[in-house]
Amino acid sequence: MKKMLAVLTAAAAAASVLTTGCDSSGGEITVAIVQPMSHTSLDQIRDTIIAELEAAGRDDIRVVTENANNDTTALTTILQNQRSEGVDIVVPIATNTAQTAKAVFDGEDTPIIFAAVSDPDAAGLTGSDCQYITGVSNNIPAGEIVELISNFQPDYQKIGFLYTSSETNSVSTIQAAEAYCDENGIAYEEASIANLSELPTAVETLISEGVDVLYTGNDNSIASAMPTYTDAAYSNGIPVYCGADSMVADGGFATIGVNYVQLGTQVADMILRIADGEAPADIPYETLAEYAKYVNLQAADTLGLELTDEMLEGYSVLVEADGTSHFGE
């Protein structure tokens, strides 16, 4: 369902987009938030952006939301429709959405503010042809990933990296982690999936290769199927480490990863700056101001892991042993 902020007047004309951003003095500014599918992380980004804009009290900003429901063709159509309707600012959530927005709005000066793009450079969202594009990356340093695993399982022998082959954001995260492992003599195996029906088999394949931990980063497809993922892993006693707090809330064991409320807050701030006339070219893309560190005690119990106070230092409990969730609190 589309959510909208209150508008100054229903008859307000759409504001024109200038080379320096948007001019709110001319009337209503329409912000289109577009996501490729629904899952906890993406929905949290969207809802945070809306809440932050509402809190800013900007009656001149109207927000519309669109969801492609994991349909690539629908995603393109949605963005083409937004271009035809003359939206003033586009907020594509996730890498594929941002890349599609860039292609659809090619030749336009409509500001594009991406949310949750792990590697903007690799995704083609920086450079001379991207003067109207900025946003917030959800990149997690590879060293932090290995440190996360070492904290809870100091005696692990081999990491299993699992990702969706079509997701640039997920691929780049795993490639960076593997490069770090190569440089530091850490053993690993990888498996990729083309669709979610392959997920259980991919987990079994990695386990057969002798991995004793699994890691998946900011992977939207796998994030939407965490129960399937964790069922396959936990039945074999293998913990699942994740790139986002929402993935831990949905069953993963632990994360040092993306705080999607923080990410949504930073995106909303960019929207307000551009609505007030700043040019996207003058606002370099940002990384997260802080990372989330969460653990799922219910998953730890299922896996039979004994967690010491030292291991838990600096981590917040997202899911209690009895299943009580603190996600969103």
Side-chain angles (χ1 to χ4, degrees), residues 239-310:
V240 172
Y241 295 86
C242 315
D245 55 351
S246 58
M247 296 171 77
V248 173
D250 289 338
F253 168 55
T255 186
I256 179 166
V258 181
N259 181 329
Y260 282 107
V261 171
Q262 176 65 42
L263 191 149
T265 299
Q266 290 179 230
V267 171
D269 179 66
M270 282 190 174
I271 293 170
L272 292 171
R273 290 170 64 184
I274 290 174
D276 285 338
E278 286 193 59
D282 294 333
I283 306 175
Y285 81 78
E286 299 175 355
T287 55
L288 287 171
E290 60 185 67
Y291 297 116
K293 298 177 72 173
Y294 290 110
V295 65
N296 182 332
L297 296 184
Q298 186 178 53
D301 278 1
T302 298
L303 292 161
L305 294 175
E306 295 185 8
L307 306 182
T308 66
D309 290 342
E310 183 179 2

Side-chain angles (χ1 to χ4, degrees), residues 64-102:
V64 298
T65 66
E66 297 281 1
N67 188 333
N69 295 310
N70 208 22
D71 184 332
T72 303
T73 301
L75 184 62
T76 300
T77 301
I78 286 169
L79 287 161
Q80 288 172 337
N81 289 341
Q82 294 301 329
R83 173 174 173 165
S84 297
E85 292 173 11
V87 298
D88 300 298
I89 299 174
V90 181
V91 182
I93 300 177
T95 300
N96 63 327
T97 317
Q99 291 172 317
T100 305
K102 177 187 175 183

Side-chain angles (χ1 to χ4, degrees), residues 3-7 49-51 53-55 58 61-64:
K3 298 182 179 179
M4 296 185 180
L5 295 178
V7 297
I49 293 170
I50 292 170
L53 294 178
E54 287 178 339
R58 292 290 296 266
I61 296 178
R62 180 177 73 103
V63 175
V64 298

Side-chain angles (χ1 to χ4, degrees), residues 3-248:
K3 298 182 179 179
M4 296 185 180
L5 295 178
V7 297
L8 184 62
T9 169
S16 60
V17 179
L18 306 178
T19 57
T20 55
C22 296
D23 181 6
S24 62
S25 64
E28 180 181 279
I29 296 172
T30 300
V31 177
I33 302 175
V34 182
Q35 63 190 93
M37 66 183 78
S38 281
H39 67 66
T40 307
S41 299
L42 304 186
D43 294 347
Q44 189 176 40
I45 295 170
R46 177 200 64 211
D47 293 345
T48 299
I49 293 170
I50 292 170
E52 290 294 317
L53 294 178
E54 287 178 339
R58 292 290 296 266
D59 290 339
D60 59 329
I61 296 178
R62 180 177 73 103
V63 175
V64 298
T65 66
E66 297 281 1
N67 188 333
N69 295 310
N70 208 22
D71 184 332
T72 303
T73 301
L75 184 62
T76 300
T77 301
I78 286 169
L79 287 161
Q80 288 172 337
N81 289 341
Q82 294 301 329
R83 173 174 173 165
S84 297
E85 292 173 11
V87 298
D88 300 298
I89 299 174
V90 181
V91 182
I93 300 177
T95 300
N96 63 327
T97 317
Q99 291 172 317
T100 305
K102 177 187 175 183
V104 169
F105 283 85
D106 183 45
E108 297 282 318
D109 56 8
T110 305
I112 296 173
I113 306 174
F114 60 75
V117 173
S118 295
D119 191 339
D121 297 324
L125 299 172
T126 61
S128 59
D129 62 336
C130 300
Q131 294 302 298
Y132 289 89
I133 302 176
T134 188
V136 182
S137 170
N138 58 346
N139 178 60
I140 302 299
E144 298 285 354
I145 295 169
V146 175
E147 185 177 325
L148 164 71
I149 295 170
S150 299
N151 179 64
F152 291 106
Q153 291 179 265
D155 297 325
Y156 80 91
Q157 299 297 310
K158 186 185 290 187
I159 303 172
F161 292 116
L162 181 57
Y163 61 96
T164 302
S165 58
S166 61
E167 292 197 28
T168 303
N169 54 310
S170 188
V171 173
S172 63
T173 297
I174 298 304
Q175 288 177 338
E178 290 178 347
Y180 182 91
C181 289
D182 290 337
E183 291 170 3
N184 291 276
I186 299 169
Y188 64 87
E189 296 287 342
E190 72 163 59
S192 64
I193 62 171
N195 56 69
L196 291 176
S197 66
E198 300 173 358
L199 183 55
T201 300
V203 173
E204 293 292 341
T205 297
L206 287 171
I207 292 172
S208 71
E209 295 290 340
V211 307
D212 41 13
V213 303
L214 289 165
Y215 179 83
T216 295
N218 302 308
D219 190 299
N220 292 309
S221 294
I222 294 176
S224 70
M226 286 301 292
T228 300
Y229 187 11
T230 55
D231 283 351
Y234 295 173
S235 63
N236 288 280
I238 306 298
V240 172
Y241 295 86
C242 315
D245 55 351
S246 58
M247 296 171 77
V248 173

